[in-house]
Amino acid sequence: MANAKVIQAKQETVEAVTAKLRESATTVVADYRGLTVAQVTELRKQLREAGIEFQVLKNTLLRRATAAAELTDLDSALTGPTAIAFSADDVVAPAKILNDFAKKNDALKLKGGVLEGRVVSVEEVKALAELPSREGLLSMLLSVLQAPVRNFALAVKAVAEKEEQSA
């Protein structure tokens, strides 16, 4: 009877992870071997504050979930101790937080990830981490959109001042 409960619990875990893999904007897989409890706690805190779910799962369960989500290319990254971060909203945040944490703590190693339904390499995760945050990208977009209006206003002002001087 206990065995059936264990199997049921594992099936539910696989189903939940499969759903997260399908629904998340970004998923990052990392090796956490060598991190202290305090370091893992700090990492979890940073991820939780950004609205990112972080789990340590068995590779066999993750492989079943990747097969169900049709992301079997990720299986090559599922070796050794595996931690996985899911973000449903922010595409850049999991990669940025984990990459920054890995720079400060050599024990954390990025293994790969999934970006909007496509398996990506460690290099692509790191490149994603170097992008500005969502707020930074929005502010860049805003300044690009404001530039023509600002330039037009300056040109009108210059014409008005020139006509005022000649009058």
Side-chain angles (χ1 to χ4, degrees), residues 30 32 40 43-44 47 52-56 83-86 98:
Y32 63 94
V40 172
L43 177 59
R44 284 182 185 275
L47 291 167
I52 299 163
E53 187 174 345
F54 186 72
Q55 292 180 315
V56 173
I84 190 163
F86 301 100
L98 287 170

Side-chain angles (χ1 to χ4, degrees), residues 113-161:
V114 179
L115 177 61
E116 296 181 341
R118 184 178 66 87
V119 175
V120 293
S121 67
V122 175
E123 291 77 25
E124 290 172 298
V125 171
K126 289 181 178 179
L128 179 64
E130 299 303 321
L131 288 175
S133 67
R134 183 175 188 274
E135 291 76 23
L137 289 171
L138 288 173
S139 69
M140 286 181 201
L141 176 63
L142 184 60
S143 73
V144 167
L145 293 174
Q146 285 179 336
V149 174
R150 186 181 322 113
N151 292 341
F152 179 72
L154 291 173
V156 169
K157 182 180 176 187
V159 168
E161 287 175 356

